[in-house]
């Protein structure tokens, strides 16, 4: 199977003209191949014309399937437009793959969250799933928990719609605009490689959780958790302690079935509290006794290294043919907020993969760690597509 990816980007002040230009650029990049899947990311200034925008993209590319959302910023063609008008049209030709788009809903019930719109048979979820969700009306975490249970090992990648303003979190499904829930695309027969860069560096020793309940850790390495944490911080280098002072993170190993743990094996979460009387720490993730944890710190330098290392590892996994392209879901806390240079993630992906890439700045990023899907922050999650 020959896979082609093409990306168009525009920041024209006119919404219809911008999408027309971006779609034309993507169509040209496909070089006559049919568009089997289109993802459309549209900045808030264009969303007053959402129906017209979707219609233009549909008419220009005639995609077999289309999903998209309102974006706080867009990424493509080595550029990042974090504010103001911007649109990215991401087009894929994969004639032997199949794509099924759906509109999902979630509803809070006593003690549970009900999901609507999924097929009854989990076998119909596909080999992978792209997820774009409205953070105000849909529980992405409930969906991911369900997918982890119903289809273990199936990667889900995507993000939360991030456009700001009244009615700005629009979602797109084929030729329609929907204002709530989530839109998904189940993918079958497409050998995509997920890449998750959490932008953090492990520091200090690995420690075993020896006592915990929920997201509260009371014992680390057979000592009170807070005491052991202070010991680990005291042993850090001056630069590591400085970074830890800006925000201390804890990495939790999800898949323990390996001889040693590297940077990408940890699910990184902030430490959100400490109780000196109990000697406990609270983490923004449930943990269990026996899990291995390690302190992490984050800054622009560590985020750059982490992204390039993660991409290089996935490029090696693709073999000699390399990548046809990539879908990029990056946090709206990255970009100029994190890095000292513009267009950082867009350039890093293009540099390492050498292939067309596009996506958007998310209000939360979806991707797998240790074989399970999670909702992240300050992360870049990337679907890398091989050439064949």
């Amino acid at each position: 199977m020959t896979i082609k990816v093409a990306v168009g980007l525009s920041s024209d002040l006119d919404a219809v003209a911008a999408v027309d230009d971006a779609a034309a650029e993507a169509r040209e990049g496909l070089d006559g191949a049919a568009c089997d899947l289109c993802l459309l990311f549209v900045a808030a200034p264009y969303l007053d014309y959402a129906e017209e925008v979707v219609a233009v993209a549909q008419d220009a590319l005639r995609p077999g399937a289309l999903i998209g959302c309102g974006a706080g910023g867009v990424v493509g063609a080595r550029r990042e437009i974090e504010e103001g008008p911007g649109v990215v049209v991401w087009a894929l030709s994969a004639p032997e793959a199949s794509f099924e788009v759906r509109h999902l809903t979630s509803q809070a019930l006593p003690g549970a969250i009900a999901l609507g719109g999924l097929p009854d048979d989990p076998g119909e979820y596909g080999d992978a799933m792209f997820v774009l969700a409205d953070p105000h009306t849909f529980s992405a975490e409930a969906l991911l928990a369900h997918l982890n249970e119903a289809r273990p090992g199936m990667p889900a990648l995507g993000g939360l719609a991030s456009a700001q303003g009244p009615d700005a979190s629009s979602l797109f499904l084929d030729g329609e605009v929907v204002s709530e829930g989530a839109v998904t695309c189940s993918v079958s027969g497409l050998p995509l490689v997920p890449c998750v860069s959490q932008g953090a560096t492990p520091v200090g020793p690995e420690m075993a959780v020896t006592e915990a309940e929920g997201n509260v850790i009371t014992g680390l390495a057979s000592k009170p958790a807070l005491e052991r944490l202070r010991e680990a911080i005291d042993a850090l280098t001056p630069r590591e302690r400085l970074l830890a002072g800006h925000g201390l993170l804890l990495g939790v190993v999800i898949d323990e079935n390996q001889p040693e743990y590297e940077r990408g094996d940890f699910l990184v979460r902030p430490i959100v509290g400490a109780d000196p009387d109990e000697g406990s720490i609270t983490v923004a993730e449930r943990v269990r006794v026996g899990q291995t944890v390690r302190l992490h710190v984050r800054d622009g330098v560590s985020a750059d290294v982490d992204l390039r290392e993660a991409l290089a590892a996935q490029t090696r996994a693709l073999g000699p043919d390399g990548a046809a392209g990539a879908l990029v879901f990056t946090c709206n806390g990255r970009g100029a907020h994190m890095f000292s240079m513009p267009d950082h993630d867009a350039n890093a992906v293009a540099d390492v993969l050498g292939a067309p890439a596009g996506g958007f700045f998310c209000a939360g990023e979806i991707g797998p760690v240790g074989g399970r899907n999670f909702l992240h922050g300050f992360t870049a999650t990337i679907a890398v597509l091989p050439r064949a």
Side-chain angles (χ1 to χ4, degrees):
M1 173 170 60
T2 300
I3 297 172
K4 289 185 177 180
V5 173
V7 177
L9 177 147
S10 177
S11 57
D12 193 293
L13 294 177
D14 182 275
V16 171
V19 177
D20 192 37
D21 290 345
E25 184 180 356
R27 185 177 62 240
E28 182 178 353
L30 290 180
D31 193 25
C35 179
D36 298 301
L37 174 64
C38 173
L39 274 83
L40 177 63
F41 305 114
V42 178
Y46 296 153
L47 290 178
D48 286 342
Y49 310 95
E51 293 182 356
E52 293 91 334
V53 160
V54 175
V56 169
Q58 284 276 93
D59 186 60
L61 290 168
R62 303 290 180 185
L66 181 149
I67 60 171
C69 67
V74 296
V75 179
R78 288 187 176 270
R79 289 184 61 197
E80 297 177 1
I81 301 174
E82 298 185 56
E83 296 180 352
V87 62
V88 160
V89 175
W90 187 93
L92 168 68
S93 175
E96 296 179 28
S98 61
F99 307 93
E100 184 73 28
V101 297
R102 297 182 178 90
H103 177 220
L104 306 186
T105 60
S106 68
Q107 180 181 4
L109 301 175
I113 295 178
L115 298 171
L118 285 167
D120 294 332
D121 180 6
E124 297 181 31
Y125 293 179
D127 302 324
M129 186 180 291
F130 297 136
V131 180
L132 305 174
D134 173 19
H136 307 294
T137 62
F138 187 81
S139 174
E141 291 183 312
L143 173 62
L144 299 180
H146 170 75
L147 295 179
N148 289 334
E149 180 71 22
R151 286 296 307 277
M154 185 196 80
L157 294 115
L160 305 185
S162 54
Q164 300 296 314
D167 303 320
S169 295
S170 296
L171 303 170
F172 314 134
L173 182 75
D174 288 336
E176 299 182 2
V177 178
V178 293
S179 59
E180 62 181 15
V183 292
T184 67
C185 180
S186 296
V187 180
S188 301
L190 184 69
L192 67 84
V193 178
C195 177
V196 175
S197 171
Q198 298 176 85
T201 297
V203 295
E206 293 178 0
M207 299 171 283
V209 177
T210 50
E211 189 175 354
E213 183 175 351
N215 64 337
V216 178
I217 303 174
T218 49
L220 279 176
S222 300
K223 288 187 176 182
L226 189 55
E227 177 184 344
R228 189 68 189 91
L229 186 69
R230 286 170 173 159
E231 291 176 355
I233 293 172
D234 288 343
L236 299 179
T237 68
R239 181 179 183 276
E240 290 170 346
R241 284 198 298 272
L242 179 63
L243 292 176
H246 295 302
L248 193 57
L249 309 167
L250 195 70
V252 183
V253 173
I254 302 302
D255 180 7
E256 301 271 355
N257 298 315
Q258 44 198 323
E260 57 185 29
Y261 309 119
E262 299 179 353
R263 184 194 297 259
D265 297 322
F266 294 90
L267 175 67
V268 179
R269 291 291 189 257
I271 297 174
V272 295
D275 187 331
D277 295 332
E278 297 291 333
S280 65
I281 60 174
T282 303
V283 186
E285 182 67 31
R286 295 180 65 86
V287 295
R288 56 175 173 76
V289 171
Q291 282 186 298
T292 300
V293 300
R294 191 175 179 186
L295 295 178
H296 282 64
V297 293
R298 178 186 283 131
D299 68 343
V301 173
S302 63
D304 175 74
V305 171
D306 186 65
L307 177 58
R308 291 178 185 275
E309 286 186 356
L311 286 167
Q314 303 303 12
T315 301
R316 290 192 294 270
L318 294 176
D321 290 334
L327 258 174
V328 181
F329 306 100
T330 188
C331 181
N332 55 17
R334 291 171 68 98
H337 299 284
M338 180 176 287
F339 301 102
S340 59
M341 63 187 73
D343 311 320
H344 175 274
D345 286 354
N347 276 314
V349 173
D351 288 344
V352 178
L353 297 182
F360 79 109
F361 284 93
C362 312
E365 308 77 57
I366 294 168
V369 173
R372 295 178 63 82
N373 298 303
F374 295 95
L375 182 64
H376 305 275
F378 294 95
T379 293
T381 68
I382 303 162
V384 183
L385 306 179
R387 291 191 184 277

